[in-house]
Amino acid sequence: MSMFKFSAGPWNVHEGADAFGPAVRKTITFEKKVEMFKKIGLDGVQFHDDDAVPEINELNDAQIRARARETKKILDHYGMAAEFVAPRLWMDPRTIDGGYTSNNPKDREYAMWRSYRSIDIANELGCDKIVLWLAREGTMCAESKDPIQSVNRIIEAINKMLEYDKNIKVLVETKPNEPVDRSFCPTIGHALAISSATVDPSRVGALLESAHAILAGLDPANEIAFALAMGKLWSVHLNDQNGMKYDQDKAFGVENLRQAFNQIKVLVENNYGSNGEYVGLDVKAMRTQKDEACYRHIENSIKMVEMLEEKVKNFDYSYQQQCIEARDYEALEMYIMELLMKG
Ligand code: 3MF
Ligand code: MG
């Protein structure tokens, strides 16, 4: 049994299309996914605004709220909670050049409209977290945007959200690249600097995704630790990644076991989750996976977390201390290898 509450988004059970090939699996309805999420041991669902309210662009503000209430009924029926809502600011023609940092003022206005609607939807779903994955808040052509003005535009957009709703919390999900070449907010340190520049830093925190840290050439456990040290780790997207290439969203721990162990170790040691935070599993099934086994990557990720929690439980802190005192880090390292490899 895990000490954590787990969550995932409907996009984590997807049809398998990639940049070079079409869908390979059948579409599963939102309700069916929620039912299966419950069955495999998840406690919460993560949402994009249009996951909760499809066709959001075609509806007025009241209709959006009403549609969100329908989604809430499904959650209630299966005893599931909503963890967060994230405005999807990367699909629409009006977000081609970014949302908050678009060079077009009309597009920036649209980004704010989606952000306010995301807050309305969060209120209807009974959650107080808005996640900003700043997908296109960066450049493909470095000279196309003013980098200082862009950072200020992100801060300004967050300020408007904080002012729109006095209870809402904003979590910046950092990623260094993809789909943009250069992000204006690539790491947790950047997110927390932005937090401190807002009108209410106490309501602006971070979400760390393992794969994104690896893409930035950083250690996910240390990114988690940095946010924890600042009291700002309000969600995580655990997954894995083989090196610095495209975002792979592999099942947690399947590429770098020691790195995964250290992520769980720092979460466990710091009692992550004690304020209701979730362990989100932002994982995607391999394209080769068949329909009937398309939840396996989520189940495997939960299993990896649980097995690593066990390893943390068995971690010999006095032996660690002994090694530190003797400055014998080779011994400590080998101890970790044995801990992870022994049954
Ligand atoms: C992209 C991501 C996204 C975000 C999601 C919620 C598809 O690399 O990680 O998942 O997590 O959009 O903000
Ligand atoms: Mg993510």
Side-chain angles (χ1 to χ4, degrees):
M1 229 352 227
S2 177
M3 68 179 262
F4 300 119
K5 284 195 299 187
F6 292 102
S7 63
W11 64 88
N12 294 122
V13 181
H14 71 132
E15 293 82 0
D18 66 18
F20 302 97
V24 290
R25 286 184 292 268
K26 286 191 211 82
T27 300
I28 300 170
T29 64
F30 172 74
E31 178 157 1
K32 186 75 200 162
K33 288 180 188 180
V34 175
E35 185 187 349
M36 280 302 291
F37 281 173
K38 179 74 182 179
K39 212 165 169 183
I40 65 174
L42 299 182
D43 308 278
V45 180
Q46 310 177 348
F47 289 92
H48 294 118
D49 49 2
D50 56 1
D51 292 324
V53 179
E55 316 297 332
I56 186 170
N57 285 328
E58 316 308 320
L59 306 176
N60 66 33
D61 299 4
Q63 289 169 326
I64 289 171
R65 281 180 172 275
R67 183 64 186 78
R69 285 194 288 276
E70 296 299 309
T71 300
K72 175 76 161 80
K73 278 187 204 151
I74 298 177
L75 292 180
D76 290 347
H77 180 76
Y78 293 98
M80 295 286 269
E83 183 194 0
F84 66 68
V85 179
R88 197 194 293 275
L89 298 180
W90 53 91
M91 284 292 205
D92 195 88
R94 286 161 286 189
T95 58
I96 284 174
D97 194 27
Y100 311 132
T101 66
S102 169
N103 280 319
N104 180 333
K106 281 258 160 285
D107 293 352
R108 294 201 299 275
E109 224 172 86
Y110 171 72
M112 286 316 303
W113 182 79
R114 290 286 290 250
S115 306
Y116 296 140
R117 298 299 72 78
S118 294
I119 295 172
D120 294 347
I121 293 167
N123 282 324
E124 296 296 344
L125 297 182
C127 68
D128 64 357
K129 288 179 178 151
I130 297 295
V131 165
L132 301 182
W133 171 43
L134 301 170
R136 297 192 194 277
E137 314 306 348
T139 55
M140 307 302 290
C141 166
E143 298 78 11
S144 66
K145 289 180 187 171
D146 177 330
I148 292 177
Q149 184 184 50
S150 297
V151 171
N152 286 327
R153 280 181 169 160
I154 294 170
I155 295 166
E156 204 181 298
I158 296 174
N159 282 344
K160 286 182 182 164
M161 284 177 245
L162 296 171
E163 274 154 9
Y164 179 76
D165 185 306
K166 296 293 177 199
N167 296 312
I168 212 80
K169 295 192 180 77
V170 174
L171 288 63
V172 180
E173 178 177 356
T174 55
K175 185 175 180 182
N177 60 278
E178 198 198 20
V180 289
D181 180 32
R182 295 171 179 82
S183 160
F184 294 125
C185 186
T187 71
I188 293 294
H190 291 83
L192 298 194
I194 282 181
S195 162
S196 71
T198 63
V199 290
D200 189 355
S202 75
R203 290 195 285 138
V204 185
L207 180 159
L208 184 275
E209 173 163 326
S210 323
H212 298 174
I214 297 165
L215 286 170
L218 297 171
D219 177 50
N222 272 9
E223 284 279 272
I224 287 174
F226 188 87
L228 284 170
M230 302 293 155
K232 293 288 193 192
L233 189 73
W234 300 342
S235 188
V236 288
H237 274 174
L238 298 187
N239 57 15
D240 212 351
Q241 173 77 19
N242 176 25
M244 293 168 74
K245 43 187 93 166
Y246 64 95
D247 192 356
Q248 295 183 314
D249 292 338
K250 297 193 75 165
F252 179 59
V254 298
E255 284 294 335
N256 191 331
L257 192 55
R258 182 179 182 185
Q259 205 167 254
F261 167 71
N262 281 317
Q263 290 174 69
I264 298 304
K265 184 166 174 289
V266 74
L267 290 171
V268 168
E269 288 173 354
N270 292 281
N271 217 10
Y272 176 81
S274 54
N275 299 310
E277 302 91 344
Y278 285 81
V279 166
L281 302 161
D282 200 358
V283 290
K284 299 234 172 68
M286 286 179 237
R287 192 162 187 269
T288 45
Q289 203 69 357
K290 294 181 184 163
D291 289 274
E292 60 272 20
C294 70
Y295 293 84
R296 179 67 66 80
H297 59 303
I298 303 177
E299 294 179 274
N300 288 355
S301 297
I302 294 174
K303 202 166 177 184
M304 287 300 296
V305 173
E306 286 175 346
M307 288 192 294
L308 289 168
E309 283 180 75
E310 250 337 276
K311 295 290 179 189
V312 173
K313 231 182 254 162
N314 295 330
F315 183 77
D316 188 343
Y317 287 92
S318 69
Y319 183 66
Q320 176 196 34
Q321 199 46 40
Q322 225 175 289
C323 293
I324 290 171
E325 275 159 27
R327 216 180 65 205
D328 191 350
Y329 301 158
E330 294 288 356
L332 179 56
E333 190 156 75
M334 196 57 199
Y335 165 67
I336 303 295
M337 294 298 106
E338 282 174 356
L339 177 72
L340 293 178
M341 291 174 79
K342 278 182 189 161

